[in-house]
mmCIF file of all heavy atoms in Angstrom:
data_model
loop_
_atom_site.group_PDB
_atom_site.id
_atom_site.type_symbol
_atom_site.label_atom_id
_atom_site.label_comp_id
_atom_site.label_asym_id
_atom_site.label_seq_id
_atom_site.Cartn_x
_atom_site.Cartn_y
_atom_site.Cartn_z
ATOM 1 N N LEU A 129 -6.022 -0.405 -3.571
ATOM 2 C CA LEU A 129 -7.391 -0.883 -3.287
ATOM 3 C C LEU A 129 -8.312 -0.326 -4.210
ATOM 4 O O LEU A 129 -9.224 -0.950 -4.775
ATOM 5 C CB LEU A 129 -7.824 -0.701 -1.843
ATOM 6 C CG LEU A 129 -6.967 -1.397 -0.714
ATOM 7 C CD1 LEU A 129 -7.516 -0.956 0.635
ATOM 8 C CD2 LEU A 129 -7.058 -2.840 -0.823
ATOM 9 N N ARG A 133 -7.641 4.764 -2.430
ATOM 10 C CA ARG A 133 -7.262 4.028 -1.239
ATOM 11 C C ARG A 133 -6.201 3.024 -1.439
ATOM 12 O O ARG A 133 -6.185 2.290 -2.463
ATOM 13 C CB ARG A 133 -8.533 3.321 -0.666
ATOM 14 C CG ARG A 133 -9.675 4.267 -0.166
ATOM 15 C CD ARG A 133 -10.876 3.504 0.085
ATOM 16 N NE ARG A 133 -10.778 2.782 1.310
ATOM 17 C CZ ARG A 133 -10.885 1.388 1.372
ATOM 18 N NH1 ARG A 133 -11.129 0.750 0.254
ATOM 19 N NH2 ARG A 133 -10.820 0.788 2.497
ATOM 20 N N LEU A 135 -3.723 0.025 0.655
ATOM 21 C CA LEU A 135 -3.519 -0.802 1.897
ATOM 22 C C LEU A 135 -2.069 -0.779 2.177
ATOM 23 O O LEU A 135 -1.172 -0.927 1.340
ATOM 24 C CB LEU A 135 -3.953 -2.200 1.633
ATOM 25 C CG LEU A 135 -3.806 -3.203 2.808
ATOM 26 C CD1 LEU A 135 -4.707 -2.929 3.916
ATOM 27 C CD2 LEU A 135 -3.935 -4.589 2.308
ATOM 28 N N VAL A 177 -4.660 2.903 4.010
ATOM 29 C CA VAL A 177 -5.674 2.243 4.941
ATOM 30 C C VAL A 177 -4.854 1.104 5.696
ATOM 31 O O VAL A 177 -4.197 0.263 5.059
ATOM 32 C CB VAL A 177 -6.738 1.535 4.086
ATOM 33 C CG1 VAL A 177 -7.697 0.666 5.015
ATOM 34 C CG2 VAL A 177 -7.590 2.600 3.324
ATOM 35 N N PHE A 178 -4.963 1.185 7.033
ATOM 36 C CA PHE A 178 -4.313 0.115 7.902
ATOM 37 C C PHE A 178 -5.466 -0.983 7.958
ATOM 38 O O PHE A 178 -6.532 -0.713 8.308
ATOM 39 C CB PHE A 178 -3.965 0.713 9.190
ATOM 40 C CG PHE A 178 -2.829 1.629 9.175
ATOM 41 C CD1 PHE A 178 -3.100 2.964 9.640
ATOM 42 C CD2 PHE A 178 -1.603 1.242 8.808
ATOM 43 C CE1 PHE A 178 -2.077 3.868 9.591
ATOM 44 C CE2 PHE A 178 -0.602 2.191 8.806
ATOM 45 C CZ PHE A 178 -0.764 3.476 9.175
ATOM 46 N N PRO A 179 -5.053 -2.249 7.851
ATOM 47 C CA PRO A 179 -6.030 -3.352 7.965
ATOM 48 C C PRO A 179 -6.369 -3.642 9.418
ATOM 49 O O PRO A 179 -7.365 -4.383 9.719
ATOM 50 C CB PRO A 179 -5.328 -4.555 7.353
ATOM 51 C CG PRO A 179 -3.815 -4.226 7.504
ATOM 52 C CD PRO A 179 -3.713 -2.749 7.397
ATOM 53 N N ALA A 205 -4.450 -8.116 9.440
ATOM 54 C CA ALA A 205 -5.838 -7.711 9.681
ATOM 55 C C ALA A 205 -6.396 -8.013 11.002
ATOM 56 O O ALA A 205 -5.986 -8.969 11.727
ATOM 57 C CB ALA A 205 -6.742 -8.445 8.610
ATOM 58 N N LYS A 206 -7.271 -7.153 11.510
ATOM 59 C CA LYS A 206 -7.895 -7.368 12.855
ATOM 60 C C LYS A 206 -8.845 -8.542 12.653
ATOM 61 O O LYS A 206 -9.559 -8.593 11.723
ATOM 62 C CB LYS A 206 -8.673 -6.143 13.259
ATOM 63 C CG LYS A 206 -9.337 -6.227 14.555
ATOM 64 C CD LYS A 206 -10.152 -5.038 14.924
ATOM 65 C CE LYS A 206 -10.924 -5.179 16.222
ATOM 66 N NZ LYS A 206 -11.649 -3.919 16.589
ATOM 67 N N VAL A 207 -8.796 -9.457 13.685
ATOM 68 C CA VAL A 207 -9.663 -10.589 13.659
ATOM 69 C C VAL A 207 -10.669 -10.454 14.860
ATOM 70 O O VAL A 207 -10.176 -10.231 16.046
ATOM 71 C CB VAL A 207 -8.791 -11.928 13.787
ATOM 72 C CG1 VAL A 207 -9.725 -13.160 13.802
ATOM 73 C CG2 VAL A 207 -7.812 -11.922 12.624
ATOM 74 N N THR A 208 -11.904 -10.768 14.607
ATOM 75 C CA THR A 208 -12.922 -10.704 15.657
ATOM 76 C C THR A 208 -13.588 -12.052 15.850
ATOM 77 O O THR A 208 -14.147 -12.566 14.861
ATOM 78 C CB THR A 208 -13.996 -9.625 15.324
ATOM 79 O OG1 THR A 208 -13.387 -8.332 15.080
ATOM 80 C CG2 THR A 208 -15.025 -9.550 16.430
ATOM 81 N N VAL A 238 -18.380 -19.891 8.687
ATOM 82 C CA VAL A 238 -18.214 -18.973 7.528
ATOM 83 C C VAL A 238 -17.264 -17.912 8.002
ATOM 84 O O VAL A 238 -17.306 -17.266 9.127
ATOM 85 C CB VAL A 238 -19.513 -18.289 7.093
ATOM 86 C CG1 VAL A 238 -19.309 -17.245 6.038
ATOM 87 C CG2 VAL A 238 -20.430 -19.379 6.538
ATOM 88 N N VAL A 239 -16.260 -17.559 7.107
ATOM 89 C CA VAL A 239 -15.206 -16.558 7.433
ATOM 90 C C VAL A 239 -15.381 -15.452 6.378
ATOM 91 O O VAL A 239 -15.451 -15.774 5.170
ATOM 92 C CB VAL A 239 -13.841 -17.135 7.384
ATOM 93 C CG1 VAL A 239 -12.774 -16.090 7.565
ATOM 94 C CG2 VAL A 239 -13.681 -18.250 8.345
ATOM 95 N N GLY A 240 -15.269 -14.220 6.748
ATOM 96 C CA GLY A 240 -15.288 -13.104 5.828
ATOM 97 C C GLY A 240 -15.110 -11.767 6.483
ATOM 98 O O GLY A 240 -14.737 -11.685 7.687
ATOM 99 N N ARG A 241 -15.494 -10.716 5.770
ATOM 100 C CA ARG A 241 -15.265 -9.355 6.234
ATOM 101 C C ARG A 241 -16.576 -8.764 6.804
ATOM 102 O O ARG A 241 -16.584 -7.734 7.384
ATOM 103 C CB ARG A 241 -14.661 -8.442 5.166
ATOM 104 C CG ARG A 241 -14.328 -7.062 5.589
ATOM 105 C CD ARG A 241 -13.444 -6.413 4.430
ATOM 106 N NE ARG A 241 -14.005 -6.542 3.181
ATOM 107 C CZ ARG A 241 -14.990 -5.733 2.698
ATOM 108 N NH1 ARG A 241 -15.464 -4.692 3.338
ATOM 109 N NH2 ARG A 241 -15.462 -5.981 1.437
ATOM 110 N N GLY A 242 -17.722 -9.453 6.521
ATOM 111 C CA GLY A 242 -18.990 -8.899 6.928
ATOM 112 C C GLY A 242 -19.235 -9.104 8.413
ATOM 113 O O GLY A 242 -18.483 -9.833 9.201
ATOM 114 N N THR A 243 -20.372 -8.527 8.920
ATOM 115 C CA THR A 243 -20.718 -8.654 10.322
ATOM 116 C C THR A 243 -21.480 -9.845 10.704
ATOM 117 O O THR A 243 -21.766 -10.121 11.853
ATOM 118 C CB THR A 243 -21.507 -7.393 10.765
ATOM 119 O OG1 THR A 243 -22.633 -7.288 9.956
ATOM 120 C CG2 THR A 243 -20.551 -6.096 10.561
ATOM 121 N N ASP A 244 -21.926 -10.573 9.604
ATOM 122 C CA ASP A 244 -22.791 -11.690 9.897
ATOM 123 C C ASP A 244 -22.158 -13.086 9.749
ATOM 124 O O ASP A 244 -22.787 -14.115 9.440
ATOM 125 C CB ASP A 244 -23.945 -11.711 8.869
ATOM 126 C CG ASP A 244 -23.483 -11.586 7.401
ATOM 127 O OD1 ASP A 244 -22.317 -11.359 7.183
ATOM 128 O OD2 ASP A 244 -24.380 -11.822 6.488
ATOM 129 N N VAL A 245 -20.743 -13.071 9.853
ATOM 130 C CA VAL A 245 -20.034 -14.344 9.770
ATOM 131 C C VAL A 245 -19.582 -14.813 11.090
ATOM 132 O O VAL A 245 -19.613 -14.107 12.101
ATOM 133 C CB VAL A 245 -18.791 -14.112 8.835
ATOM 134 C CG1 VAL A 245 -19.301 -13.756 7.439
ATOM 135 C CG2 VAL A 245 -17.856 -13.010 9.358
ATOM 136 N N GLY A 246 -19.135 -16.097 11.098
ATOM 137 C CA GLY A 246 -18.627 -16.626 12.371
ATOM 138 C C GLY A 246 -17.337 -16.104 12.810
ATOM 139 O O GLY A 246 -17.036 -16.020 14.010
ATOM 140 N N LEU A 247 -16.457 -15.824 11.878
ATOM 141 C CA LEU A 247 -15.164 -15.271 12.136
ATOM 142 C C LEU A 247 -14.965 -14.141 11.191
ATOM 143 O O LEU A 247 -14.856 -14.316 9.945
ATOM 144 C CB LEU A 247 -14.047 -16.341 11.949
ATOM 145 C CG LEU A 247 -12.592 -15.975 12.270
ATOM 146 C CD1 LEU A 247 -12.538 -15.579 13.787
ATOM 147 C CD2 LEU A 247 -11.604 -16.997 11.919
ATOM 148 N N ARG A 248 -14.732 -12.931 11.793
ATOM 149 C CA ARG A 248 -14.664 -11.702 10.997
ATOM 150 C C ARG A 248 -13.168 -11.293 10.891
ATOM 151 O O ARG A 248 -12.574 -11.135 11.898
ATOM 152 C CB ARG A 248 -15.541 -10.613 11.493
ATOM 153 C CG ARG A 248 -15.537 -9.312 10.648
ATOM 154 C CD ARG A 248 -16.353 -8.243 11.426
ATOM 155 N NE ARG A 248 -16.458 -7.072 10.539
ATOM 156 C CZ ARG A 248 -16.962 -5.888 10.910
ATOM 157 N NH1 ARG A 248 -17.339 -5.795 12.237
ATOM 158 N NH2 ARG A 248 -17.077 -4.968 10.088
ATOM 159 N N ILE A 249 -12.711 -11.023 9.649
ATOM 160 C CA ILE A 249 -11.347 -10.590 9.394
ATOM 161 C C ILE A 249 -11.362 -9.289 8.648
ATOM 162 O O ILE A 249 -11.932 -9.235 7.493
ATOM 163 C CB ILE A 249 -10.503 -11.642 8.644
ATOM 164 C CG1 ILE A 249 -10.638 -12.954 9.339
ATOM 165 C CG2 ILE A 249 -9.093 -11.134 8.426
ATOM 166 C CD1 ILE A 249 -9.865 -14.056 8.633
ATOM 167 N N ASN A 250 -10.892 -8.186 9.162
ATOM 168 C CA ASN A 250 -10.908 -6.866 8.554
ATOM 169 C C ASN A 250 -9.815 -6.620 7.531
ATOM 170 O O ASN A 250 -8.870 -5.901 7.682
ATOM 171 C CB ASN A 250 -10.831 -5.767 9.622
ATOM 172 C CG ASN A 250 -11.016 -4.441 9.014
ATOM 173 O OD1 ASN A 250 -11.736 -4.190 8.138
ATOM 174 N ND2 ASN A 250 -10.278 -3.430 9.628
ATOM 175 N N ASP A 251 -9.801 -7.476 6.445
ATOM 176 C CA ASP A 251 -8.876 -7.468 5.456
ATOM 177 C C ASP A 251 -9.647 -7.006 4.128
ATOM 178 O O ASP A 251 -10.600 -7.636 3.721
ATOM 179 C CB ASP A 251 -8.273 -8.863 5.175
ATOM 180 C CG ASP A 251 -7.243 -8.988 4.176
ATOM 181 O OD1 ASP A 251 -7.276 -8.106 3.176
ATOM 182 O OD2 ASP A 251 -6.322 -9.810 4.266
ATOM 183 N N PRO A 252 -9.222 -5.871 3.550
ATOM 184 C CA PRO A 252 -9.897 -5.313 2.328
ATOM 185 C C PRO A 252 -10.008 -6.310 1.218
ATOM 186 O O PRO A 252 -10.872 -6.201 0.426
ATOM 187 C CB PRO A 252 -9.117 -4.093 2.019
ATOM 188 C CG PRO A 252 -8.426 -3.653 3.259
ATOM 189 C CD PRO A 252 -8.128 -4.944 3.935
ATOM 190 N N GLY A 253 -9.084 -7.285 1.142
ATOM 191 C CA GLY A 253 -9.081 -8.268 0.110
ATOM 192 C C GLY A 253 -9.994 -9.448 0.258
ATOM 193 O O GLY A 253 -10.011 -10.375 -0.532
ATOM 194 N N ILE A 254 -10.724 -9.383 1.423
ATOM 195 C CA ILE A 254 -11.596 -10.485 1.756
ATOM 196 C C ILE A 254 -13.067 -10.035 1.544
ATOM 197 O O ILE A 254 -13.464 -8.922 1.881
ATOM 198 C CB ILE A 254 -11.385 -10.850 3.222
ATOM 199 C CG1 ILE A 254 -9.959 -11.522 3.466
ATOM 200 C CG2 ILE A 254 -12.499 -11.894 3.640
ATOM 201 C CD1 ILE A 254 -9.725 -11.908 4.841
ATOM 202 N N SER A 255 -13.846 -10.936 0.913
ATOM 203 C CA SER A 255 -15.212 -10.625 0.660
ATOM 204 C C SER A 255 -16.063 -10.778 1.916
ATOM 205 O O SER A 255 -15.586 -11.246 2.927
ATOM 206 C CB SER A 255 -15.839 -11.547 -0.350
ATOM 207 O OG SER A 255 -15.180 -11.519 -1.602
ATOM 208 N N ARG A 256 -17.305 -10.247 2.010
ATOM 209 C CA ARG A 256 -18.076 -10.197 3.138
ATOM 210 C C ARG A 256 -18.318 -11.649 3.704
ATOM 211 O O ARG A 256 -18.280 -11.885 4.882
ATOM 212 C CB ARG A 256 -19.392 -9.436 2.843
ATOM 213 C CG ARG A 256 -19.267 -8.034 2.535
ATOM 214 C CD ARG A 256 -20.522 -7.334 2.389
ATOM 215 N NE ARG A 256 -21.362 -7.362 3.602
ATOM 216 C CZ ARG A 256 -21.233 -6.488 4.591
ATOM 217 N NH1 ARG A 256 -20.285 -5.609 4.564
ATOM 218 N NH2 ARG A 256 -21.947 -6.571 5.688
ATOM 219 N N GLN A 257 -18.676 -12.547 2.728
ATOM 220 C CA GLN A 257 -18.665 -13.967 3.078
ATOM 221 C C GLN A 257 -17.755 -14.647 2.074
ATOM 222 O O GLN A 257 -18.096 -14.835 0.892
ATOM 223 C CB GLN A 257 -20.051 -14.529 2.859
ATOM 224 C CG GLN A 257 -21.042 -13.970 3.991
ATOM 225 C CD GLN A 257 -22.422 -14.746 3.955
ATOM 226 O OE1 GLN A 257 -22.775 -15.423 3.014
ATOM 227 N NE2 GLN A 257 -23.162 -14.492 4.994
ATOM 228 N N HIS A 258 -16.549 -14.963 2.534
ATOM 229 C CA HIS A 258 -15.487 -15.378 1.595
ATOM 230 C C HIS A 258 -15.400 -16.915 1.491
ATOM 231 O O HIS A 258 -15.355 -17.456 0.367
ATOM 232 C CB HIS A 258 -14.133 -14.756 2.061
ATOM 233 C CG HIS A 258 -13.060 -14.739 0.995
ATOM 234 N ND1 HIS A 258 -12.704 -13.585 0.478
ATOM 235 C CD2 HIS A 258 -12.513 -15.706 0.322
ATOM 236 C CE1 HIS A 258 -11.745 -13.825 -0.480
ATOM 237 N NE2 HIS A 258 -11.614 -15.106 -0.541
ATOM 238 N N ILE A 259 -15.222 -17.545 2.564
ATOM 239 C CA ILE A 259 -15.030 -19.047 2.527
ATOM 240 C C ILE A 259 -15.850 -19.661 3.682
ATOM 241 O O ILE A 259 -16.305 -19.013 4.636
ATOM 242 C CB ILE A 259 -13.507 -19.423 2.743
ATOM 243 C CG1 ILE A 259 -13.007 -18.953 4.047
ATOM 244 C CG2 ILE A 259 -12.714 -19.066 1.546
ATOM 245 C CD1 ILE A 259 -11.556 -19.370 4.332
ATOM 246 N N LEU A 277 -16.776 -19.260 -1.423
ATOM 247 C CA LEU A 277 -18.290 -18.804 -1.516
ATOM 248 C C LEU A 277 -18.464 -17.887 -2.662
ATOM 249 O O LEU A 277 -19.304 -17.015 -2.499
ATOM 250 C CB LEU A 277 -18.782 -18.346 -0.245
ATOM 251 C CG LEU A 277 -18.680 -19.294 0.973
ATOM 252 C CD1 LEU A 277 -19.084 -18.563 2.304
ATOM 253 C CD2 LEU A 277 -19.593 -20.488 0.748
ATOM 254 N N SER A 279 -16.188 -15.786 -3.844
ATOM 255 C CA SER A 279 -15.506 -14.506 -3.488
ATOM 256 C C SER A 279 -14.935 -13.833 -4.642
ATOM 257 O O SER A 279 -14.687 -14.438 -5.675
ATOM 258 C CB SER A 279 -14.421 -14.821 -2.420
ATOM 259 O OG SER A 279 -13.442 -15.623 -2.979
ATOM 260 N N THR A 280 -14.528 -12.625 -4.505
ATOM 261 C CA THR A 280 -13.935 -11.871 -5.584
ATOM 262 C C THR A 280 -12.581 -12.349 -5.841
ATOM 263 O O THR A 280 -12.153 -12.438 -6.991
ATOM 264 C CB THR A 280 -13.916 -10.237 -5.252
ATOM 265 O OG1 THR A 280 -15.332 -9.851 -5.016
ATOM 266 C CG2 THR A 280 -13.271 -9.492 -6.335
ATOM 267 N N ASN A 281 -11.706 -12.529 -4.801
ATOM 268 C CA ASN A 281 -10.347 -12.820 -4.956
ATOM 269 C C ASN A 281 -9.943 -14.288 -4.852
ATOM 270 O O ASN A 281 -8.780 -14.636 -4.945
ATOM 271 C CB ASN A 281 -9.487 -11.978 -4.012
ATOM 272 C CG ASN A 281 -9.724 -10.446 -4.287
ATOM 273 O OD1 ASN A 281 -9.640 -10.092 -5.431
ATOM 274 N ND2 ASN A 281 -9.859 -9.647 -3.221
ATOM 275 N N ILE A 303 -6.670 -16.002 2.209
ATOM 276 C CA ILE A 303 -7.657 -15.189 1.622
ATOM 277 C C ILE A 303 -7.201 -13.632 1.811
ATOM 278 O O ILE A 303 -6.872 -13.277 2.880
ATOM 279 C CB ILE A 303 -9.068 -15.417 2.177
ATOM 280 C CG1 ILE A 303 -9.024 -15.390 3.725
ATOM 281 C CG2 ILE A 303 -9.544 -16.828 1.768
ATOM 282 C CD1 ILE A 303 -10.453 -15.507 4.390
ATOM 283 N N GLY A 304 -7.364 -12.946 0.734
ATOM 284 C CA GLY A 304 -6.779 -11.615 0.813
ATOM 285 C C GLY A 304 -5.268 -11.618 1.119
ATOM 286 O O GLY A 304 -4.531 -12.392 0.500
ATOM 287 N N THR A 305 -4.862 -10.941 2.113
ATOM 288 C CA THR A 305 -3.433 -11.024 2.640
ATOM 289 C C THR A 305 -3.256 -11.724 3.829
ATOM 290 O O THR A 305 -2.280 -11.774 4.461
ATOM 291 C CB THR A 305 -2.915 -9.581 2.848
ATOM 292 O OG1 THR A 305 -3.646 -8.881 3.802
ATOM 293 C CG2 THR A 305 -2.893 -8.724 1.546
ATOM 294 N N THR A 306 -4.397 -12.494 4.201
ATOM 295 C CA THR A 306 -4.485 -13.157 5.607
ATOM 296 C C THR A 306 -4.319 -14.688 5.395
ATOM 297 O O THR A 306 -4.985 -15.243 4.566
ATOM 298 C CB THR A 306 -5.691 -12.777 6.302
ATOM 299 O OG1 THR A 306 -5.761 -11.396 6.465
ATOM 300 C CG2 THR A 306 -5.816 -13.448 7.595
ATOM 301 N N LEU A 308 -4.841 -18.379 7.322
ATOM 302 C CA LEU A 308 -5.481 -19.105 8.334
ATOM 303 C C LEU A 308 -4.849 -20.527 8.449
ATOM 304 O O LEU A 308 -4.744 -21.183 7.355
ATOM 305 C CB LEU A 308 -6.982 -19.155 8.141
ATOM 306 C CG LEU A 308 -7.751 -17.888 8.023
ATOM 307 C CD1 LEU A 308 -7.874 -17.381 6.599
ATOM 308 C CD2 LEU A 308 -9.155 -18.139 8.587
#
Side-chain angles (χ1 to χ4, degrees):
L129 296 176
R133 298 169 69 243
L135 178 72
V177 177
F178 293 116
K206 180 181 179 181
V207 180
T208 303
V238 174
V239 178
R241 189 167 46 86
T243 58
D244 57 344
V245 297
L247 182 63
R248 185 182 185 191
I249 304 176
N250 185 34
D251 182 330
I254 294 178
S255 298
R256 296 183 62 82
Q257 292 189 346
H258 200 113
I259 57 175
L277 297 178
S279 65
T280 301
N281 297 319
I303 52 177
T305 61
T306 301
L308 302 90

